[in-house]
Amino acid sequence: MIERWRRRGSRPRAPLRRGWALAEPHERRFDPRYGVAVAIVVAVAAGLRLWGNGSGLPWSYNVDEAQHFVPFAIAMLHGNLDPGGYFANPPAYTYVLAAIFKLAFGTQQAHRLYRSGDSTQIWIAARVASAALGTIAVWLLYLAGARLFDRRTGLIACAIMAVAFLPVFYGKLALNDSPTLAPVCLSLWGSAGIARLGRKRDFVIAGLGLGLAAATKYTGGIVVVPLIVAAFSSVEAGRRLFVALWLPLAGVIALAAFVAANPYSVVDFHRFLNQLAQQSNESGEGNGKLGLTHGSGVLYYLWSLSWGVGWIPGGAAVLGALALLVRRWWWTFAALVPAALGYLAFMGLQGRYFGRWVMPIIPLVCLLAAFAAVSLAELLARGRPRIQAAVLVVLAAALCVQGGFYSVHSGIVNSRPDTRAIARAWLLKHVPKRSHIVVEPIVLKGAKPPDNWTKPWTALPDLLTHRGRRGILYVDAGKEVKLEDYERTLSPALVGLYQRDGYCYVVTGSTEEGRALADPKAVPNAVAYYRALAKAGKRVLTVSPLENGKTDVGFNFDWSFDYYPADYSRPGPLVDIYHLRGGACTAHHAKRRGHAHARRKRHGGARH
């Protein structure tokens, strides 16, 4: 009787349809071996994402991290959940952070910590939340893969994503890229359930995941494609009325989840639409991002997958798509491949592209790569389960080796002091307080923590135009320029203004100078500015992020900020500090020498 109940309980409620990868009924029963394996993979995923997540603190050197989610979450602690008309990024992750800050610290304590000189606890809490959601995504991807294919495919797919470089690195930062993967994989799990089991609850799960994914990052809405494909496969199986009722309901659930996690998109609908249009226009401004030299966005994203997930998984994903066609699993192919290709085409046609923007389709790539490995193992060792298992272990290791190596490297690099922190320590030791210095926007300078990097000195506000009446550096009505336009404001004449007005120390970074050198024809004045600076000033400090102090740091909008290349030994750009002579700087230097001589005389001529 018990055996009869088990067999009945393991049978799918809806007929399995042609065109889907079919698993055996026993796949629905819990297997402790896979339970242990998944637990190990999830633990590894969590460890890699938490390793080095204190990088740079108490300063957040990532501009997007510093300016977007955490500041808005802090502002919401008094009860006003309005993102202030900011809809360039949806606020779901911001709401999660606000809830965490409220529960962990309380309103007053969170504000005090954030506005204190050391906001490390706030940033760590936000980054741990990102890591936790990214780790949950790994587990959900296993569930989706096990349901859509089988447990072997699910386990290999989640292992690939557990160690893939892009999900691991951005799981260390308080950005919405890693958190988006959790609802994306939740929706994939629900869509797999619709395809395989045809249950009502799976429409609810898929719709809920879709809405939350889009409310965390708009591009997470790509999982609508597998949902629709799964539903229409039920129509082919003769369940037209069922799909006609439940597919629209899944859409309603998705919309409700989106609005629940982004309520002011309805309350302030006009501004919401304007922000979306503005964000789309900015993404399409190909000439606005100096240093973005790749000509094709599609090729850039394909290249990003080659290191963000790995060359072998990327190639295996292509083979997995072909295997689906060969085995005539049309619906499985339609659920995964068009979504990935459509996403690459749409994002690649934008004027700007960054590797992390490809992350919403990484779960699809992992599933296809894992399926290719399982198909190859079955082909090579058909009817020999032990050999087949050994082949699978080898193939899984090959799929994970590149991501694992560079994710471990990332943990080591991010656990070390940032080059900007080392440069600041030198400034504290050698440059008197209230001295006038110039620091390029390799750090954020402003009133709010952690933007107090330059607090001991009087720093030139370099994101304001450098022109003004009487040549004063930062007047011109304080006209602000965008960060990516900073290089366009530079010219050799600035060096003379620095000297005249007593800005005697200039701190430069490869993430700014490198943009100019990457496209010198676009900003010839900036290239001339760096030459004039090197000629007029003495380089008193160079801090390299590369091993053995190498200084050949090239510029790339991904690798310069995520430190992927194996040559990196610490985070940060190449930092140079110049000491200028001439003008007020000469008088300042003579005055300092006089003070130093007087101190030595008082102490019997001893040098310190």
Side-chain angles (χ1 to χ4, degrees):
M1 182 176 179
I2 294 176
E3 286 301 314
R4 226 176 18 248
W5 176 80
R6 284 180 177 173
R7 285 195 297 271
R8 187 169 59 249
S10 65
R11 190 179 298 116
R13 294 189 178 183
L16 292 173
R17 297 173 290 280
R18 288 191 307 168
W20 289 103
L22 306 183
E24 297 298 326
H26 71 268
E27 289 285 342
R28 294 187 60 200
R29 295 197 297 268
F30 176 74
D31 187 330
R33 297 171 300 174
Y34 281 94
V36 171
V38 172
I40 293 173
V41 170
V42 169
V44 169
L48 289 174
R49 285 155 177 77
L50 294 172
W51 187 7
N53 74 342
S55 178
L57 297 179
W59 298 284
S60 175
Y61 292 119
N62 185 286
V63 174
D64 289 332
E65 181 185 48
Q67 293 183 340
H68 293 289
F69 305 100
V70 170
F72 286 104
I74 292 292
M76 290 176 179
L77 290 179
H78 287 297
N80 184 3
L81 298 180
D82 188 348
Y86 172 79
F87 295 106
N89 285 289
Y93 177 57
T94 305
Y95 289 148
V96 170
L97 294 185
I100 290 173
F101 296 157
K102 185 81 170 180
L103 293 173
F105 307 109
T107 299
Q108 299 303 323
Q109 177 74 350
H111 274 280
R112 187 189 67 78
L113 288 172
Y114 181 69
R115 302 192 180 283
S116 68
D118 187 356
S119 53
T120 298
Q121 294 182 58
I122 293 293
W123 291 104
I124 287 293
R127 291 177 177 183
V128 168
S130 175
L133 290 168
T135 302
I136 291 171
V138 171
W139 172 62
L140 290 172
L141 183 60
Y142 165 75
L143 297 180
R147 179 175 285 180
L148 187 60
F149 295 99
D150 59 19
R151 289 194 181 109
R152 298 170 301 170
T153 306
L155 179 60
I156 296 174
C158 78
I160 296 170
M161 195 167 79
V163 301
F165 178 81
L166 273 174
V168 168
F169 178 80
Y170 283 101
K172 302 177 192 290
L173 296 178
L175 293 168
N176 62 348
D177 302 278
S178 178
T180 303
L181 293 176
V184 162
C185 292
L186 177 67
S187 184
L188 288 175
W189 180 39
S191 296
I194 295 171
R196 292 287 306 279
L197 307 172
R199 300 179 306 191
K200 300 173 183 177
R201 74 181 75 163
D202 293 313
F203 281 93
V204 175
I205 293 171
L208 179 64
L210 169 61
L212 293 178
T216 308
K217 193 175 184 71
Y218 295 123
T219 52
I222 189 63
V223 286
V224 69
V225 176
L227 170 56
I228 293 174
V229 170
F232 273 91
S233 71
S234 296
V235 172
E236 186 194 52
R239 309 186 74 198
R240 294 180 178 83
L241 180 59
F242 177 79
V243 173
L245 291 174
W246 281 93
L247 180 58
L249 183 58
V252 171
I253 293 170
L255 181 61
F258 178 83
V259 172
N262 189 5
Y264 286 87
S265 63
V266 175
V267 175
D268 199 355
F269 186 67
H270 180 69
R271 183 176 292 184
F272 169 67
L273 289 181
N274 286 339
Q275 288 265 324
L276 284 183
Q278 180 181 348
Q279 181 78 344
S280 177
N281 290 335
E282 290 182 355
S283 297
E285 292 175 2
N287 296 325
K289 210 71 173 172
L290 181 68
L292 195 63
T293 55
H294 285 71
S296 169
V298 174
L299 293 179
Y300 188 89
Y301 284 123
L302 291 174
W303 172 75
S304 298
L305 287 172
S306 73
W307 54 267
V309 181
W311 281 102
I312 296 178
V318 176
L319 295 179
L322 294 176
L324 288 173
L325 291 177
V326 170
R327 301 176 75 165
R328 298 183 179 181
W329 289 349
W330 315 116
W331 286 112
T332 314
F333 179 91
L336 300 179
V337 178
L341 295 180
Y343 186 93
L344 289 172
F346 173 77
M347 297 298 294
L349 292 176
Q350 307 302 308
R352 299 181 182 183
Y353 24 88
F354 307 97
R356 65 187 175 97
W357 287 0
V358 81
M359 282 178 61
I361 62 168
I362 284 181
L364 305 181
V365 173
C366 293
L367 287 172
L368 290 169
F371 175 69
V374 172
S375 298
L376 182 58
E378 290 177 346
L379 181 65
L380 295 177
R382 187 179 301 275
R384 293 172 288 177
R386 291 186 178 180
I387 297 178
Q388 190 178 116
V391 171
L392 263 183
V393 170
V394 172
L395 293 176
L399 290 169
C400 295
V401 64
Q402 181 181 344
F405 173 82
Y406 283 98
S407 291
V408 169
H409 173 254
S410 175
I412 295 172
V413 169
N414 284 279
S415 297
R416 293 172 175 166
D418 193 284
T419 57
R420 288 157 288 198
I422 296 173
R424 188 175 189 271
W426 187 94
L427 289 170
L428 286 171
K429 184 177 180 180
H430 294 90
V431 179
K433 294 181 179 180
R434 295 183 294 279
S435 295
H436 285 57
I437 67 174
V438 179
V439 182
E440 289 191 328
I442 56 174
V443 298
L444 297 178
K445 302 184 293 296
K448 295 180 180 179
D451 304 346
N452 53 4
W453 196 93
T454 60
K455 185 177 180 181
W457 309 280
T458 301
L460 175 72
D462 49 20
L463 289 183
L464 304 180
T465 49
H466 296 291
R467 302 183 305 276
R469 52 188 176 81
R470 301 179 184 176
I472 300 176
L473 295 180
Y474 49 85
V475 180
D476 196 20
K479 184 179 179 182
E480 189 171 355
V481 297
K482 293 181 179 180
L483 176 63
E484 56 263 30
D485 292 333
Y486 168 73
E487 297 294 323
R488 303 180 192 279
T489 70
L490 299 178
S491 70
L494 280 173
V495 177
L497 293 177
Y498 295 160
Q499 294 169 317
R500 190 200 66 185
D501 290 347
Y503 287 88
C504 303
Y505 287 91
V506 181
V507 182
T508 67
S510 58
T511 48
E512 289 302 327
E513 184 176 0
R515 299 186 194 208
L517 298 179
D519 193 5
K521 293 182 180 179
V523 282
N525 285 338
V527 176
Y529 162 81
Y530 287 109
R531 290 174 182 166
L533 185 63
K535 185 176 181 180
K538 177 184 178 182
R539 189 185 286 110
V540 293
L541 180 72
T542 295
V543 187
S544 173
L546 304 184
E547 60 182 9
N548 301 322
K550 292 185 291 187
T551 58
D552 53 339
V553 181
F555 179 79
N556 176 269
F557 267 106
D558 280 297
W559 287 0
S560 296
F561 300 95
D562 61 30
Y563 324 121
Y564 174 83
D567 285 345
Y568 274 89
S569 64
R570 65 178 67 255
L574 177 75
V575 178
D576 287 316
I577 300 180
Y578 294 91
H579 185 198
L580 299 180
R581 302 288 176 83
C585 292
T586 299
H588 174 73
H589 179 68
K591 185 177 180 181
R592 285 193 61 200
R593 287 186 62 185
H595 287 316
H597 177 73
R599 284 196 303 271
R600 288 196 300 270
K601 197 172 182 180
R602 285 197 302 271
H603 292 84
R607 290 180 177 269
H608 295 277

